[in-house]
Amino acid sequence: MGLTARPAGTGAGRNLGAPDASSHDSWVATRLDFLVNWSRAGSLWPMPFGTACCAIEFMATAASRFDLARFGMERMSFSPRQADVLICAGRVPFKLAPVLRRIWQQMPQPKWCISMGACASSGGMFDNYAVVQGIDTIIPVDVYVPGCPPRPEGLMYGILMLQEKVKRERMSDTSLRNEMDPDPSSGLYIPAQAIDELSEPFGNSVHQTRSGL
Amino acid sequence: MSGAFTPVIPGSADASLPSPTTLKQVPLSGGPANPSAAALGTQFGPVVKRVEVVRGETTVYVEGAKLLDVVQWLHDDPGQRYDYLSDVTAVEYRDPERALQVVWHLRSLPRRRFLRLKVEIATGAPLEVPSVWSVYRGADWLERECYDMFGIRFAGHPDLRRILMWEQYREGFPLRKDFPLRGRFSRSEQLRQALSVNPEARYSMEELSVVQAFEDLPADMRQRLLRGERTGE
Ligand code: SF4
């Protein structure tokens, strides 16, 4: 999809595997990577962007029964400037789109994003005039958690996946930390055509596009 | 606003009235109408077009031009004292021949009454009704919402602009029947327009608190407001 506009010459994309033989990182670099990633993954501070019902389930995940603190996320960061991972829990209306974008831009690198629930990931059942059809059209997303709402176990599984991803990052891959600049003329990250194609009506909603008049 | 503010003290409602209870076995339509309907009939005559009772709730259809007088009287008359406007909304029917209705929900706490007023706007007529803001200040946002969703203009409203959709929203009025569910523009265009709004330029001069705080605002924001810039396009 070409979400990330990477500068040319930074290699063949994100290396998701553990530092492998083909990389030319030295032993010191890989050990350092391990240490940095271990500490990052163990203390992800979430920025809860809860806009709807999914946020309730997110609260349940953070509360004592499921206890997000076990994964190093006990401190909700209500200031984006101190957050590592944005958890978008709930649907995002178009009016909120510039706010979400701004919050993402205010978060310092390194940062990650979890899109929680069907609405945040795809617009869910709200295929209407007011709701963004997936927050990945506004900001880059690392992990999608399906469900309506996802159970706390589901969200935790997504968080564990994100930790896996964090643990496999390499500091030498500078493209990971690129800020993605939107196209200045349109403000979009991905081509307009791709957005239209991704949010084509499907299922019943094809019939809902007509007004009946 | 009329006269001095008279607070409603609990227990001060007309002692002869029965206490509020859950209505039981209410006929779907018909039944005793709210006495205010008859009072309106004698007071205003032909302005009251018809009265309907549905599920024990009384709806009075009135003439649009006289709406403000009717509401003012309902608010002021000691026999009515409708002191609370609980909603302003509108109904458009799928049948394009049927008139669009604007609806006001009034409640009288001292008299324990509920009254629904409706004004019908025939197809093709301008979508304009009087604002009741001068009687109930709470009508401000209710009417703005109704304008935002249906495009009905409330004559006399002090600051009629969109409230739910952002101010530069150009696709029309979402709750009208001719509005496609997914909006008029393509998804990418909708997103582009939404993202071009500056989230920190939410204020316009109409917002009283901003006017008062004007001198305390940062210089760049003052400049922006002085230029009349709205939501930062
Ligand atoms: S995915 Fe379901 S639970 Fe989550 S915000 Fe949407 S409707 Fe609510």
Side-chain angles (χ1 to χ4, degrees), chain B residues 20-173:
Chain B
T21 46
T22 309
L23 297 177
K24 291 198 183 93
Q25 284 151 11
V26 188
L28 175 57
S29 64
N34 182 334
S36 301
L40 273 177
T42 48
Q43 179 75 16
F44 288 96
V47 171
V48 176
K49 291 183 173 164
R50 64 179 193 277
V51 177
E52 261 175 15
V53 182
V54 175
R55 290 227 180 264
E57 294 176 351
T58 308
T59 306
V60 180
Y61 289 79
V62 298
E63 199 180 297
K66 287 282 183 299
L67 177 93
L68 190 55
D69 297 341
V70 170
V71 170
Q72 185 83 58
W73 183 78
L74 284 172
H75 178 268
D76 292 345
D77 187 77
Q80 311 301 327
R81 293 181 65 197
Y82 281 86
D83 49 5
Y84 175 45
L85 173 75
S86 61
D87 203 5
V88 177
T89 183
V91 188
E92 187 181 13
Y93 290 92
R94 185 155 185 173
D95 174 4
E97 305 300 310
R98 276 186 81 167
L100 190 146
Q101 299 174 342
V102 191
V103 189
W104 289 261
H105 288 179
L106 300 178
R107 197 170 275 282
S108 164
L109 301 185
R111 303 263 169 252
R112 288 185 184 147
R113 284 180 195 165
F114 172 80
L115 187 68
R116 187 181 293 121
L117 293 180
K118 282 191 182 182
V119 165
E120 288 184 316
I121 303 178
T123 325
L127 292 178
E128 182 158 316
V129 290
S131 164
V132 298
W133 176 82
S134 54
V135 186
Y136 304 101
R137 290 292 143 107
D140 187 341
W141 282 15
L142 298 173
E143 289 177 355
R144 274 178 70 185
E145 181 185 350
C146 197
Y147 163 70
D148 189 2
M149 291 289 124
F150 289 93
I152 295 159
R153 306 202 65 88
F154 290 85
H157 189 285
D159 179 22
L160 196 65
R161 56 200 166 98
R162 289 192 183 271
I163 187 169
L164 296 177
M165 310 309 286
W166 56 101
E167 283 182 42
Q168 285 83 19
Y169 188 70
R170 292 196 196 82
E171 293 180 56
F173 302 104

Side-chain angles (χ1 to χ4, degrees), chain A residues 102 127-129 196 199, chain B residues 164 181-182 187-188 192 200:
Chain A
R102 179 66 58 94
D127 190 12
N128 63 21
Y129 65 95
D196 286 339
S199 44
Chain B
L164 296 177
L181 181 61
R182 291 166 58 97
R187 286 299 188 197
S188 54
R192 192 192 68 73
E200 283 171 23

Side-chain angles (χ1 to χ4, degrees), chain B residues 158-214:
Chain B
D159 179 22
L160 196 65
R161 56 200 166 98
R162 289 192 183 271
I163 187 169
L164 296 177
M165 310 309 286
W166 56 101
E167 283 182 42
Q168 285 83 19
Y169 188 70
R170 292 196 196 82
E171 293 180 56
F173 302 104
L175 291 192
R176 297 295 301 279
K177 283 283 182 261
D178 60 0
F179 187 90
L181 181 61
R182 291 166 58 97
R184 295 188 199 280
F185 300 158
S186 72
R187 286 299 188 197
S188 54
E189 177 61 14
Q190 287 173 339
L191 199 63
R192 192 192 68 73
Q193 293 199 359
L195 285 175
S196 69
V197 171
N198 174 4
E200 283 171 23
R202 276 263 163 257
Y203 304 109
S204 59
M205 265 306 208
E206 289 87 343
E207 264 149 297
L208 189 64
S209 53
V210 180
V211 175
Q212 284 164 343
F214 184 70

